[in-house]
Amino acid sequence: MDKRETFGSRFAVIMAMAGSAIGLGNIWRFPYVVGENGGSAFIIIYLISTLLLSLPIFLSEAVIGRKTGKGTFGAMEQLAPGTRWKWLGLLTVVSPLIILSFYSVVGGWSVEYLLKSLTGSVSTGDAADSSAAFGRFISSVRAPLLCHTLFLGFCAVIVTAGVKKGIERFSTVTMPVLFVLILLIMTYSLFLPGSGAGVTWMLKPDFSKLTASGVASAMGQSFFSLSLGVGTILTYSSYVRKDESLMASALGTAAFDLLFALIAGFAVMPAVFAAGIEPAAGPGLVFETLPYIFASMGSAAPVLSAVVSLLFFLAILVAAVSSAISMLEVGVAYLVDEKGFTRGKAVAVLFAGCWILGTFCSLSFGPLAEFKIFGETFFSFCDKLTSNFLMAFGGLLFTFFVGWRMDREQVRRELTSDGKDRFGTLCFKTVWFLIRYVAPAAIIVIFLTNLFL
Ligand code: TRP
């Protein structure tokens, strides 16, 4: 059998994992939930959640992935052969593919807006017009489908090229560029007149706004933002070399993800407030509000505003692609490891499956809007099923598996690279406690709040 590919360096590991983590969630969700829930008060809770909840789940997935050197299904088969754990393996092959289907539709929208900014036709300079144009675009049939196809096709090409030549190469080049892009956009935003209110929105601590559901949404956001619970981190970890520190990779990824989310917040919110618009979360923010802002701010310096608009949609596209390839890789690892597919064939099969599901998602904004599952359109059903349910469920089972089913010594060896990783050795006891008790309890709390609040 061929030797399994590995990432070439720690930098590559962190860039690939951060590529997965940094996505639409950082740009259109984080800034909003921060402001809604008490600014820096929320950021503090977010930090604590990341340390106590997300990192232990991250490390649980990492232990399973690197120990077995297999994707989710193979890993479960190897560690718990002939048990029901294989269903967790299967579930986590399927969940990221469902996420990919609707993510690719939104990725497609960013392709359209990038192309539009190239031709200078993003916004007509009126808020209502921008919204209407967005509504017309997503409810039409051909253009969004074409963009969805382009987006998914692009991801397929990268994943076909392999872990090193595809995923690693793409992430190590684009993630640093993405960082510079978002810094440039932030600088532009902060210089707009009236931007101060956006900074206040992000930072002003207001503990009175921090409710129980705010705390749960800090946990949920941190969890979502690190792409946990669906086997992505597990699969990427199976490509991490044995002598690499899992602890350092996890911390590096989480730090990069948070930093990016904060900078994205300072790029987006000051512009929103400068334009005197009420902040909101979701696709509306990036595809309706911002195009209008760039155009209206741009009357004084049209070229600059066109360039910023172009860079902004480029940043969204890159962030979305680097997350999408990690979702695709989970399924590819399964088909290659377990079913003996070649990479190319695995990608082709999954491309076809996700393309069809994604097509339904896309059409659910137009011709299929009336087709509902549990009262939700197809798109929002896939979104809610995965974000509110499958991710948390998977995360719970991964921590439970590592904390209660695996042998402590095995976990220790993996997390400390056989005792050679000093930092890992230092943190092990704490991490073990978090994996066994704290993280599972916290996920159950999120679950219940999602269900009842
Ligand atoms: N972390 C991604 C973001 O912030 C979204 C995401 C959620 C994700 N679950 C995932 C990405 C699973 C890859 C795999 O946008």
Side-chain angles (χ1 to χ4, degrees), residues 1 49 72 117 186 192 198 216 224 243 273 312-313 351 363 376 388 403 424 444-445:
M1 204 176 112
S49 310
T72 56
S117 4
M186 179 184 82
L192 292 173
F224 181 84
D243 55 353
F273 279 90
F312 183 72
F313 288 108
F351 174 90
L363 294 178
E376 304 280 347
N388 294 350
I444 292 175
V445 171

Side-chain angles (χ1 to χ4, degrees), residues 38-166:
S40 48
F42 179 90
I43 297 178
I44 296 170
I45 305 293
Y46 181 90
L47 259 180
I48 299 175
S49 310
T50 303
L51 288 174
L52 299 188
L53 163 71
S54 305
L55 281 173
I57 303 171
F58 191 113
L59 290 167
S60 304
E61 288 198 33
V63 164
I64 303 175
R66 193 181 53 182
K67 164 129 194 72
T68 56
K70 298 225 168 101
T72 56
F73 184 81
M76 286 296 143
E77 277 288 278
Q78 178 173 331
L79 293 175
T83 63
R84 290 204 199 124
W85 286 104
K86 76 161 176 275
W87 293 107
L88 174 60
L90 268 186
L91 178 76
T92 44
V93 168
V94 176
S95 326
L97 295 173
I98 303 178
I99 304 181
L100 179 57
S101 305
F102 69 83
Y103 215 81
S104 166
V105 171
V106 182
W109 299 346
S110 65
V111 173
E112 163 80 8
Y113 273 76
L114 179 64
L115 296 176
K116 271 193 184 171
S117 4
L118 275 175
T119 56
S121 57
V122 164
S123 176
T124 45
D126 175 319
D129 280 357
S130 301
S131 286
F134 177 64
R136 268 197 310 278
F137 166 63
I138 63 172
S139 59
S140 63
V141 174
R142 284 221 331 249
L145 282 184
L146 184 66
C147 293
H148 154 59
T149 311
L150 279 175
F151 180 87
L152 199 58
F154 188 45
C155 298
V157 170
I158 298 171
V159 174
T160 308
V163 173
K164 239 194 181 113
K165 291 212 185 98

